[in-house]
Amino acid sequence: MKKIILLIIINLTGVLGFAQENLSTKYDLMPWPKDIKEHPNKFVIDSSLTISITSNQSERVEHAATQFLRRLTNRTGVFLNEGFPLENKKGDIQIQFDEVSKLDIKNNESYTLTVEDSTIKISAKTDIGATRALATLLQLVDHNATEYFIPGVTISDEPRFVWRGLMIDVSRHFQPIDVLKRNLDAMASMKMNVFHWHLTDDQGIRIESKTYPKLTALASDGLFYTHEQIKDVVAYADRLGIRVIPEIDVPGHATAFLTAYPELGSKDDYDYSIERFSGVFDPTLNPTIDITYTFLENLFAEITPLFPDEYFHIGGDENEGKHWDESKSIQKFKKKHGLKTNHDLQTYFNVKLEKILNKQGKKLMGWDEIMTPDMPTSAVIHSWRGENEGLAKGGTLIEAAKQGYQTVLSNGFYIDRMQSVAYHYTIEPIGDVKLTNAERERILGGEATMWCELATPLTIDSRIWPRTAAIAERFWSPKEINNVDNMRTRLEVVSFNLEELGLAHIKNRAVILRGMTNHQDISSLLSLSNLCEPLKIYARNLDGIEYKTYSPFNLFADACVADASDALKFNKAVSKFTKGGASTSVANYLQKWTNDYKAFSQLQKNPKITPLEPLFKNLALVSELLSEAIQTKKISKESIQTIGNTMILLREPVADVELMIVDALNDLSQYCESNYSSK
Amino acid sequence: MKKIILLIIINLTGVLGFAQENLSTKYDLMPWPKDIKEHPNKFVIDSSLTISITSNQSERVEHAATQFLRRLTNRTGVFLNEGFPLENKKGDIQIQFDEVSKLDIKNNESYTLTVEDSTIKISAKTDIGATRALATLLQLVDHNATEYFIPGVTISDEPRFVWRGLMIDVSRHFQPIDVLKRNLDAMASMKMNVFHWHLTDDQGIRIESKTYPKLTALASDGLFYTHEQIKDVVAYADRLGIRVIPEIDVPGHATAFLTAYPELGSKDDYDYSIERFSGVFDPTLNPTIDITYTFLENLFAEITPLFPDEYFHIGGDENEGKHWDESKSIQKFKKKHGLKTNHDLQTYFNVKLEKILNKQGKKLMGWDEIMTPDMPTSAVIHSWRGENEGLAKGGTLIEAAKQGYQTVLSNGFYIDRMQSVAYHYTIEPIGDVKLTNAERERILGGEATMWCELATPLTIDSRIWPRTAAIAERFWSPKEINNVDNMRTRLEVVSFNLEELGLAHIKNRAVILRGMTNHQDISSLLSLSNLCEPLKIYARNLDGIEYKTYSPFNLFADACVADASDALKFNKAVSKFTKGGASTSVANYLQKWTNDYKAFSQLQKNPKITPLEPLFKNLALVSELLSEAIQTKKISKESIQTIGNTMILLREPVADVELMIVDALNDLSQYCESNYSSK
């Protein structure tokens, strides 16, 4: 795969050598394709543009081609004469594929794409490959002052991993159908192909059950998907070439199940009720009684026909076994069956579940706790634990593959932890580990996981995107594509195009700030929000006691995102300046924040924005002193001391956010002290 | 009803007189209630707040109370301990109602609401009345710097008209379920109670048919609602106390019907295909053949069970009868049956339809063309034509009522025409017309109509809201509530609260501008968009030839809205200034636009923003010259001439918008000429 790094670009006038880096500053492609060659053609977009499909009918390609035309029209403003693929005529954009694919793990997604002056040719083994090509083609659209065009390139592309997923937890906060659909659109635009639907948890059962209607009546708060809606989402995903894997999380995370059917619980006379907090809770299904298995067998029998995919996720995580330890009958059962530990008991449970699922034509998948010595290798291991959970860095992926399990990686891709895109992007699933072909094949790929304790329909998009686009690249592109700065440049454009596609990750930030200010001018708060990030790694919800499911999630922290944009820019500017660069950018920022605070001061206060006052004031104070120092090339001892004292305050989290420029301000202060200090 | 204007406010310390105007600058209520009394109580909102329902179970009230808690939490940032109505305990907010209402035209929506220091009492005849009270209560939430509270008031309220509707055309542009649901939420917040669903037109059949599957397969472009989705929307609306009236538009506007079933057409061998343009087209059902009636009877039999409401809209508008005139067999039929005109033939058709619908338990409603001498008064007349269509001002409403028809007014409430909110608000449906009680009772109310030739899911909210809130007030509040300035003040807050509720009328404007600029700084374009309005009364789509259904609708005109906010403010400022007021506000605006143009000039151009260059440049030129004149109190002849010439250009529509400050600029220029002219 080394050929990816040093591409040979052939054009009509000769042979040129370009590093991938050169090309990837020129094209805003993501995930970066396996191979791209440039040639001096240019396909100009005008109203006569047409598209045709010269293969068997595929709803996927029909849909993708029509959507391509819609998005092209919207992006360019060109009034197309033809709004649909041509029938029985060749268009300017010609799509050919060999077969309409069954959507499964063996699916071929490769394609080639050639842009000439008046023709664009897309060729693929499967219709899904053809839709991937159209996603690439839309990313190639470029413009100058007078026209939109697609530059001449030839791209050959295929994914590195077969499993490139996004999990969405709809239990902690219910996510309506339109939220799921727009995220599926976004996934497809990033060539992701697995939607893992976390449908049950302590906070609610989100899938309608007709077999066990109390699940819907008592354990959903009225927030659930009907069978029709599930079929609709599955069909929508299928059209985008996305498989849907349901997760029914058992035996732990079962509070909602037991609210409806307490007789399945491990603890007698326990008052189960839908959990409103976040965390890991005790209620657990009782694996020692027959009715548990009857229940699950019937429930699975009801659910599995809705999900055509072979894989079925049973969760299996974070069962701490407290209620098992407290139950005499369960202790007795363990002894009787020679089950020494709770892990053994859970394996007993998992093995029974696997048999049930196998009967129903499904393959059992579970979080990596299910990987115990007695668990058959026919199960699929979803690797999520790693250093944070006291295991090795990189999680249990390699171990699972070596032991013979198919496996999928999520350790390192917990996007709800609000870590930087660089953190996720630089996680290499396999690295230099030596694997046999069979072991390598068992590593299916990975999934970004969006747990929704802190994410509502208003904010979920900004928690998933744009970072997940970079994760999609990690799973699709050759591993040598790993330059963080380059990725960030492309990601900026990707993020904007995701808004064009209908995502709400940008616009809803302004909605939150307008709401916070009672619709006063939000520019000062927007500026502050571009310097702050929500507390990371669950620090926002420490000890699981603060936020309930119905707490407000339209606070300042909810308007902030990972990778605070101005913080990134300022930190770079400081780094350049303190190494001898120009001061302009740094000075402009400092001046801006001083002014922003003045504007903020003039806002009519309310209980939602008042808590930000000290943070903003301290930021302005430090900014003003540093700004003066840079301007005058002088700094007094008093100023240094004031800055030092204020910096301590600025390091403290406020309103569940942290200011992401404290280190840079500190560097700047030290620079001023070293270079400008007087007396 | 005069008592509304001069309210008597009783508080504990004495008796005070306030005009409604005084109160309505104090409370941002819309629609304004029938009666409001103030008292010096204050209900403070803190985390202990609870709500209880001391009546029979009503899903509507349960839902409304829960949503009230969610919105209160989100607005105030207060972490409530209880996220749901209490069971078997009295809460701080106590809701009582006499009966769970059947949702029909006789529904009682009255309520009383009393806010005391620690208790709020809601009392209503029906559960729907109770939900209306909660909508009012949320509008009463106020704050200072440290707390949110609800001021002490007693409100007694009931609507003036029983029919307060919004029609949405989902044929010209399909509007997904989430668009409909958020608009239903908005309607309920404005106490509107009828959603008129225009489901079919030349551009597509949007309701699934299992009886006539070709309607779905050939006449929908895949954009339609399944029966399940329709039931879901109807149930959603019911929960909000909103009736749903379907419209199947026949015999005209039938291109899509005939694309699927050409045998029902009036013209043989005509090549019917889904219409892509806007306008009035020839394809018409053939009213002289039995299969037309069999078709409609079967189709209605399939559809009517989905819509529990008694009223069923059959359209009946804009049938120009061209294909009838061209058909020999239809001419023969007319002669045979003594039908002299096409109107007679259409009445023949309508009467047959009414019998079919009556058999299915439905009442026929149609646009006012159906009101012909032979049409039975059991039909319901939807008055839409008026002065623009060569009829009397105020439409056919009064005439229909006098002739014995129940009737609903939409003339004057065509919100897609992009006229100002003042225009719609000041239309008084009845005025001083003397009516008998029976006649008055037959005037059911009115409907805002949102035709979607030019509105997509991206823009529809900004075409409906906030203007429709003022229309809702027209239909709910006493007619004496009609002060435009006062309404505008309240409407500004209403608009913001509609964003809080999930509407996209504000945020999507920025999305369009970001898209137009390829995500450069949009502040200059946003400023320009606040001075411009989309061309009105269909001038944007003149002759019905320009825009197709799949044309781009994310252009500058789509980012602009009626009642351009800065234009309104500037025009007022100029009016004050030229009457001797201060120049500050005017001068600030002129300076701002000069600067905005500078910022605009620095944007990297593309074909979407380039057309705005001359408009912006000319605005900046005039602004600069006038600014200088005001500053120096001098203006040269050359400047006057330049301004005059430029003004001619500024009056011309550009990019489908008109600049809404040209008259004010002209006034300002004349003022400068009269007062400052030198030489």
Side-chain angles (χ1 to χ4, degrees):
Chain A
M1 282 195 187
K2 275 286 161 64
K3 68 172 172 172
I4 309 306
I5 314 175
L6 290 167
L7 288 159
I8 305 303
I9 292 92
I10 299 163
N11 66 23
L12 298 176
T13 54
V15 179
L16 294 165
F18 274 92
Q20 178 258 333
E21 248 84 301
N22 290 57
L23 284 174
S24 63
T25 54
K26 208 168 154 188
Y27 302 107
D28 298 312
L29 298 171
M30 189 171 286
W32 192 258
K34 193 171 176 189
D35 187 67
I36 173 167
K37 288 180 181 56
E38 288 187 301
H39 32 81
N41 302 81
K42 183 176 168 186
F43 180 97
V44 175
I45 295 156
D46 63 28
S47 58
S48 73
L49 179 143
T50 55
I51 195 165
S52 63
I53 305 162
T54 58
S55 297
N56 287 337
Q57 234 207 323
S58 156
E59 213 193 316
R60 291 178 191 129
V61 179
E62 288 279 341
H63 173 74
T66 305
Q67 288 308 108
F68 175 86
L69 292 173
R70 297 290 173 277
R71 292 193 64 196
L72 193 71
T73 282
N74 283 334
R75 187 176 302 172
T76 62
V78 170
F79 282 61
L80 296 177
N81 298 328
E82 292 289 344
F84 295 89
L86 299 182
E87 277 171 27
N88 311 317
K89 264 188 286 186
K90 275 208 172 173
D92 306 321
I93 302 173
Q94 296 162 12
I95 304 173
Q96 177 276 327
F97 55 87
D98 297 344
E99 58 177 77
V100 173
S101 182
K102 187 174 170 316
L103 184 65
D104 63 23
I105 202 165
K106 295 188 202 84
N107 190 47
N108 185 316
E109 295 172 274
S110 68
Y111 67 89
T112 63
L113 165 63
T114 307
V115 179
E116 292 165 6
D117 284 338
S118 56
T119 313
I120 294 173
K121 284 188 178 143
I122 285 172
S123 179
K125 285 254 185 263
T126 71
D127 58 339
I128 296 175
T131 70
R132 303 292 178 241
L134 283 167
T136 301
L137 188 58
L138 198 67
Q139 291 183 342
L140 283 169
V141 174
D142 202 350
H143 74 278
N144 55 36
T146 56
E147 64 185 9
Y148 285 85
F149 61 89
I150 299 175
V153 290
T154 295
I155 289 176
S156 303
D157 200 9
E158 67 178 356
R160 179 180 174 202
F161 291 109
V162 297
W163 190 298
R164 306 175 308 280
L166 170 64
M167 186 214 77
I168 298 181
D169 161 18
V170 297
S171 177
R172 274 63 176 264
H173 280 106
F174 182 69
Q175 304 294 344
I177 299 289
D178 59 303
V179 172
L180 301 181
K181 284 186 174 176
R182 71 185 186 227
N183 277 285
L184 287 165
D185 287 336
M187 288 172 67
S189 80
M190 291 300 126
K191 303 187 172 66
M192 298 178 83
N193 67 357
V194 176
F195 169 43
H196 168 179
W197 205 348
H198 184 80
L199 284 162
T200 73
D201 216 303
D202 298 297
Q203 292 79 358
I205 307 295
R206 304 299 177 207
I207 179 166
E208 173 189 31
S209 176
K210 297 174 182 178
T211 317
Y212 294 104
K214 282 199 275 181
L215 290 178
T216 311
L218 304 179
S220 78
D221 294 318
L223 300 169
F224 63 91
Y225 310 103
T226 64
H227 288 194
E228 293 301 321
Q229 286 173 327
I230 294 210
K231 283 186 218 163
D232 181 40
V233 169
V234 170
Y236 193 92
D238 180 291
R239 221 163 48 167
L240 298 170
I242 297 174
R243 300 160 51 216
V244 181
I245 315 295
E247 177 181 348
I248 305 296
D249 198 354
V250 286
H253 289 279
T255 310
F257 275 117
L258 299 178
T259 302
Y261 295 95
E263 60 271 31
L264 305 176
S266 296
K267 192 164 171 113
D268 294 339
D269 305 322
Y270 190 83
D271 189 15
Y272 296 106
S273 70
I274 297 179
E275 186 57 55
R276 305 298 175 192
F277 287 111
S278 302
V280 178
F281 303 98
D282 300 331
T284 310
L285 297 185
N286 186 340
T288 69
I289 52 179
D290 288 345
I291 55 167
T292 296
Y293 299 100
T294 312
F295 173 84
L296 290 174
E297 180 157 12
N298 291 340
L299 185 66
F300 291 171
E302 181 183 4
I303 288 173
T304 50
L306 303 173
F307 297 95
D309 203 84
E310 190 190 358
Y311 291 71
F312 191 99
H313 207 299
I314 55 100
D317 56 319
E318 297 184 320
N319 168 27
E320 303 195 337
K322 185 159 168 271
H323 282 191
W324 289 357
D325 293 338
E326 289 168 6
S327 160
K328 280 187 189 156
S329 70
I330 293 177
Q331 291 309 315
K332 213 164 124 187
F333 182 92
K334 279 169 71 178
K335 262 195 203 135
K336 184 174 158 199
H337 288 76
L339 303 165
K340 284 181 192 144
T341 66
N342 284 337
H343 288 297
D344 294 339
L345 179 55
Q346 190 164 343
T347 303
Y348 169 89
F349 171 83
N350 290 338
V351 168
K352 291 193 73 137
L353 250 56
E354 197 190 29
K355 281 186 189 134
I356 290 170
L357 284 171
N358 286 168
K359 264 204 299 192
Q360 299 179 7
K362 299 292 175 187
K363 209 170 164 71
L364 178 145
M365 178 168 182
W367 299 104
D368 60 17
E369 285 97 329
I370 71 165
M371 186 167 61
T372 52
D374 293 336
M375 193 68 204
T377 57
S378 48
V380 185
I381 305 302
H382 195 160
S383 167
W384 74 278
R385 292 176 303 170
E387 281 178 311
N388 287 295
E389 294 75 24
L391 300 187
K393 189 175 172 179
T396 49
L397 185 86
I398 302 294
E399 185 192 338
K402 290 201 183 243
Q403 289 193 17
Y405 296 98
Q406 280 192 333
T407 180
V408 169
L409 183 64
S410 280
N411 180 258
F413 301 107
Y414 269 45
I415 49 178
D416 64 315
R417 295 161 67 109
M418 303 307 292
Q419 289 164 284
S420 77
V421 66
Y423 168 78
H424 298 297
Y425 188 66
T426 50
I427 288 171
E428 162 49 39
I430 300 178
D432 299 326
V433 177
K434 289 267 174 296
L435 295 171
T436 66
N437 281 347
E439 285 164 356
R440 170 62 187 81
E441 265 180 30
R442 285 197 289 268
I443 296 180
L444 302 177
E447 275 184 21
T449 49
M450 184 61 222
W451 300 102
C452 286
E453 284 92 343
L454 297 171
T456 68
L458 185 72
T459 58
I460 185 171
D461 292 10
S462 77
R463 275 53 192 145
I464 300 179
W465 308 101
R467 289 177 300 151
T468 297
I471 296 174
E473 176 159 292
R474 177 57 46 245
F475 297 143
W476 175 283
S477 303
K479 73 175 184 180
E480 292 78 8
I481 306 297
N482 59 9
N483 181 308
V484 171
D485 282 341
N486 178 282
M487 173 275 290
R488 278 200 197 273
T489 309
R490 287 178 289 129
L491 191 64
E492 209 168 320
V493 178
V494 164
S495 180
F496 295 144
N497 286 337
L498 287 169
E499 172 161 85
E500 173 194 284
L501 184 58
L503 275 280
H505 60 307
I506 299 171
K507 64 184 179 183
N508 281 358
R509 294 181 58 204
V511 170
I512 293 171
L513 297 178
R514 279 195 288 270
M516 283 186 70
T517 58
N518 294 99
H519 295 267
Q520 300 172 77
D521 184 345
I522 62 167
S523 50
S524 64
L525 270 182
L526 190 58
S527 179
L528 185 65
S529 79
N530 287 332
L531 301 177
C532 295
E533 297 184 8
L535 295 183
K536 297 178 199 317
I537 315 182
Y538 310 140
R540 187 172 172 189
N541 217 357
L542 216 57
D543 307 324
I545 51 161
E546 207 181 356
Y547 286 84
K548 292 183 173 179
T549 50
Y550 47 73
S551 295
F553 289 97
N554 60 349
L555 306 176
F556 187 65
D558 301 296
C560 294
V561 295
D563 302 300
S565 57
D566 283 346
L568 285 168
K569 287 177 200 154
F570 178 73
N571 295 344
K572 266 200 178 166
V574 167
S575 165
K576 275 188 192 166
F577 169 61
T578 55
K579 283 174 191 141
S583 66
T584 327
S585 174
V586 170
N588 286 347
Y589 270 115
L590 296 174
Q591 189 57 52
K592 179 171 162 38
W593 299 328
T594 312
N595 293 338
D596 285 336
Y597 175 64
K598 281 182 198 146
F600 175 81
S601 303
Q602 281 163 23
L603 296 180
Q604 201 204 4
K605 293 299 179 295
N606 66 43
K608 286 175 96 174
I609 57 176
T610 300
L612 298 169
E613 165 76 30
L615 170 69
F616 218 154
K617 190 176 174 178
N618 289 330
L619 171 64
L621 176 61
V622 170
S623 296
E624 203 165 356
L625 292 173
L626 288 173
S627 178
E628 201 192 318
I630 292 171
Q631 239 173 337
T632 61
K633 307 212 177 217
K634 280 185 205 160
I635 191 163
S636 68
K637 285 223 169 102
E638 291 85 345
S639 293
I640 292 168
Q641 183 141 15
T642 306
I643 291 171
N645 291 342
T646 313
M647 214 70 94
I648 295 168
L649 300 171
L650 287 178
R651 276 199 195 280
E652 287 298 304
V654 170
D656 284 349
V657 302
E658 48 184 326
L659 189 67
M660 301 306 288
I661 54 167
V662 180
D663 288 338
L665 288 173
N666 210 46
D667 292 349
L668 201 55
S669 166
Q670 284 180 1
Y671 176 90
C672 291
E673 198 178 343
S674 307
N675 292 276
Y676 304 151
S677 192
S678 60
K679 275 179 289 176
Chain B
M1 285 195 186
K2 276 286 159 66
K3 71 172 172 171
I4 310 306
I5 313 175
L6 290 168
L7 286 159
I8 305 302
I9 291 92
I10 299 162
N11 67 23
L12 297 177
T13 55
V15 178
L16 294 165
F18 274 93
Q20 178 258 333
E21 247 83 303
N22 292 55
L23 285 174
S24 64
T25 54
K26 210 169 151 188
Y27 302 107
D28 297 313
L29 298 171
M30 188 171 286
W32 191 258
K34 195 171 177 189
D35 188 67
I36 173 167
K37 289 181 179 57
E38 289 187 302
H39 34 82
N41 301 81
K42 183 175 168 185
F43 180 97
V44 175
I45 295 156
D46 64 27
S47 58
S48 72
L49 181 142
T50 55
I51 195 165
S52 63
I53 306 162
T54 57
S55 299
N56 287 336
Q57 233 208 324
S58 156
E59 212 193 316
R60 292 178 191 129
V61 179
E62 289 279 340
H63 173 74
T66 305
Q67 287 308 108
F68 175 87
L69 293 174
R70 296 291 172 277
R71 292 192 64 196
L72 193 72
T73 283
N74 283 334
R75 189 176 301 172
T76 62
V78 170
F79 283 59
L80 296 176
N81 298 329
E82 290 289 344
F84 296 90
L86 298 183
E87 278 171 27
N88 311 319
K89 265 187 284 185
K90 275 208 173 172
D92 307 322
I93 301 174
Q94 296 162 10
I95 304 174
Q96 176 278 326
F97 55 87
D98 296 345
E99 57 178 78
V100 173
S101 182
K102 187 176 168 316
L103 184 66
D104 63 23
I105 201 164
K106 295 190 200 83
N107 191 47
N108 185 316
E109 294 172 274
S110 68
Y111 67 89
T112 63
L113 165 63
T114 306
V115 180
E116 292 164 6
D117 284 339
S118 57
T119 313
I120 294 174
K121 284 187 179 145
I122 285 172
S123 178
K125 286 253 184 264
T126 70
D127 58 339
I128 295 176
T131 69
R132 304 292 178 240
L134 283 167
T136 301
L137 188 59
L138 198 66
Q139 292 184 342
L140 284 169
V141 174
D142 202 350
H143 74 279
N144 55 35
T146 56
E147 65 186 8
Y148 284 85
F149 59 90
I150 299 176
V153 289
T154 296
I155 289 176
S156 304
D157 200 9
E158 67 178 355
R160 180 179 174 203
F161 291 108
V162 297
W163 190 298
R164 305 176 308 279
L166 170 64
M167 187 214 77
I168 297 181
D169 161 20
V170 297
S171 177
R172 274 62 175 264
H173 280 107
F174 182 69
Q175 304 295 343
I177 299 289
D178 59 303
V179 172
L180 301 181
K181 285 186 174 175
R182 72 185 184 224
N183 277 284
L184 287 165
D185 287 336
M187 288 173 67
S189 80
M190 292 299 126
K191 303 186 173 66
M192 299 178 83
N193 67 357
V194 176
F195 168 44
H196 168 177
W197 204 348
H198 183 80
L199 283 162
T200 73
D201 216 304
D202 298 297
Q203 292 79 359
I205 307 294
R206 304 298 176 209
I207 179 166
E208 174 189 30
S209 176
K210 296 174 182 178
T211 318
Y212 294 104
K214 281 199 276 181
L215 291 178
T216 311
L218 304 178
S220 78
D221 293 318
L223 299 169
F224 63 91
Y225 310 103
T226 64
H227 287 194
E228 293 301 320
Q229 287 172 326
I230 294 206
K231 282 186 219 164
D232 180 40
V233 169
V234 169
Y236 193 92
D238 180 291
R239 221 163 48 166
L240 298 170
I242 296 174
R243 301 161 51 217
V244 182
I245 316 294
E247 177 182 349
I248 305 296
D249 199 354
V250 287
H253 289 278
T255 311
F257 275 118
L258 300 177
T259 303
Y261 296 96
E263 60 272 30
L264 305 175
S266 296
K267 193 165 172 110
D268 295 339
D269 305 323
Y270 189 84
D271 189 14
Y272 298 105
S273 70
I274 296 179
E275 187 57 56
R276 304 300 175 192
F277 288 110
S278 302
V280 178
F281 303 97
D282 301 330
T284 310
L285 296 185
N286 187 341
T288 69
I289 51 178
D290 288 345
I291 55 167
T292 298
Y293 299 100
T294 314
F295 173 84
L296 289 174
E297 181 158 11
N298 292 339
L299 185 66
F300 290 171
E302 180 183 2
I303 288 174
T304 50
L306 303 174
F307 297 95
D309 203 84
E310 190 189 358
Y311 291 72
F312 190 99
H313 207 299
I314 56 100
D317 56 319
E318 296 185 319
N319 168 26
E320 303 195 338
K322 186 160 169 268
H323 282 191
W324 289 356
D325 293 339
E326 290 168 5
S327 160
K328 280 186 188 156
S329 69
I330 292 177
Q331 291 309 315
K332 214 166 123 186
F333 182 92
K334 278 168 71 179
K335 262 194 203 134
K336 185 175 156 195
H337 288 77
L339 302 165
K340 284 182 192 143
T341 66
N342 284 338
H343 288 298
D344 295 339
L345 179 55
Q346 191 165 342
T347 302
Y348 169 90
F349 172 82
N350 289 338
V351 169
K352 291 194 74 139
L353 250 56
E354 198 190 27
K355 282 188 188 134
I356 290 170
L357 284 171
N358 286 167
K359 264 203 300 192
Q360 298 178 6
K362 298 293 173 187
K363 207 171 166 69
L364 178 144
M365 178 168 183
W367 300 102
D368 59 17
E369 286 96 329
I370 72 165
M371 185 167 61
T372 53
D374 294 336
M375 193 70 204
T377 57
S378 48
V380 184
I381 305 301
H382 195 161
S383 168
W384 75 277
R385 292 176 304 169
E387 281 178 311
N388 287 296
E389 294 75 24
L391 301 187
K393 190 176 171 179
T396 50
L397 185 85
I398 302 294
E399 185 192 339
K402 291 202 180 242
Q403 288 192 19
Y405 297 97
Q406 282 191 332
T407 180
V408 168
L409 183 64
S410 281
N411 180 259
F413 300 106
Y414 269 45
I415 48 177
D416 64 316
R417 295 160 68 108
M418 302 308 291
Q419 289 164 284
S420 76
V421 66
Y423 168 79
H424 298 297
Y425 188 66
T426 51
I427 287 171
E428 163 48 40
I430 298 177
D432 298 326
V433 176
K434 288 267 174 297
L435 294 173
T436 65
N437 281 349
E439 286 165 355
R440 171 60 187 83
E441 263 181 30
R442 287 196 289 268
I443 297 180
L444 302 177
E447 275 184 20
T449 49
M450 183 62 220
W451 300 102
C452 286
E453 284 92 344
L454 297 171
T456 68
L458 185 71
T459 59
I460 186 170
D461 292 9
S462 77
R463 275 55 193 143
I464 301 178
W465 308 102
R467 290 177 300 151
T468 296
I471 296 174
E473 176 159 292
R474 177 56 46 245
F475 298 142
W476 175 283
S477 303
K479 73 175 184 181
E480 292 79 5
I481 306 297
N482 60 10
N483 181 308
V484 171
D485 281 342
N486 178 283
M487 172 276 290
R488 277 199 198 276
T489 309
R490 287 179 288 129
L491 191 63
E492 209 167 320
V493 178
V494 165
S495 181
F496 294 144
N497 286 337
L498 287 170
E499 173 161 83
E500 174 195 283
L501 184 58
L503 275 281
H505 60 307
I506 299 172
K507 65 184 178 183
N508 281 359
R509 295 181 58 204
V511 170
I512 293 171
L513 297 178
R514 279 194 288 270
M516 283 185 70
T517 57
N518 295 99
H519 295 268
Q520 299 172 79
D521 184 345
I522 62 168
S523 51
S524 64
L525 270 182
L526 190 60
S527 179
L528 184 65
S529 79
N530 286 332
L531 301 176
C532 295
E533 296 183 7
L535 295 183
K536 295 177 200 318
I537 317 184
Y538 310 142
R540 186 173 173 188
N541 216 356
L542 217 57
D543 308 323
I545 53 161
E546 208 182 354
Y547 285 85
K548 292 184 173 179
T549 49
Y550 47 73
S551 295
F553 289 97
N554 60 348
L555 306 177
F556 187 65
D558 302 296
C560 294
V561 294
D563 303 300
S565 58
D566 283 346
L568 286 167
K569 287 176 202 156
F570 178 71
N571 295 344
K572 267 201 178 169
V574 167
S575 167
K576 277 189 191 167
F577 169 60
T578 55
K579 284 172 190 141
S583 66
T584 328
S585 174
V586 171
N588 285 348
Y589 270 116
L590 297 173
Q591 189 56 53
K592 178 171 163 40
W593 300 327
T594 313
N595 292 339
D596 285 336
Y597 175 63
K598 281 182 199 145
F600 175 81
S601 303
Q602 281 163 24
L603 295 179
Q604 200 203 5
K605 293 297 179 296
N606 67 43
K608 287 175 95 175
I609 57 175
T610 300
L612 298 169
E613 164 77 29
L615 171 68
F616 219 154
K617 189 177 175 178
N618 289 329
L619 170 65
L621 176 61
V622 171
S623 298
E624 203 167 355
L625 293 173
L626 288 172
S627 177
E628 201 192 316
I630 292 171
Q631 238 172 338
T632 61
K633 308 212 178 217
K634 281 185 204 159
I635 190 164
S636 69
K637 284 221 168 101
E638 290 85 344
S639 291
I640 292 168
Q641 183 141 15
T642 306
I643 290 171
N645 291 342
T646 313
M647 215 69 96
I648 295 168
L649 299 172
L650 287 179
R651 276 199 196 280
E652 287 297 304
V654 170
D656 284 349
V657 302
E658 47 184 326
L659 189 67
M660 301 307 289
I661 54 167
V662 181
D663 288 338
L665 288 174
N666 210 44
D667 292 350
L668 200 55
S669 167
Q670 283 180 2
Y671 176 89
C672 291
E673 198 177 343
S674 308
N675 292 277
Y676 305 152
S677 191
S678 59
K679 275 178 289 177

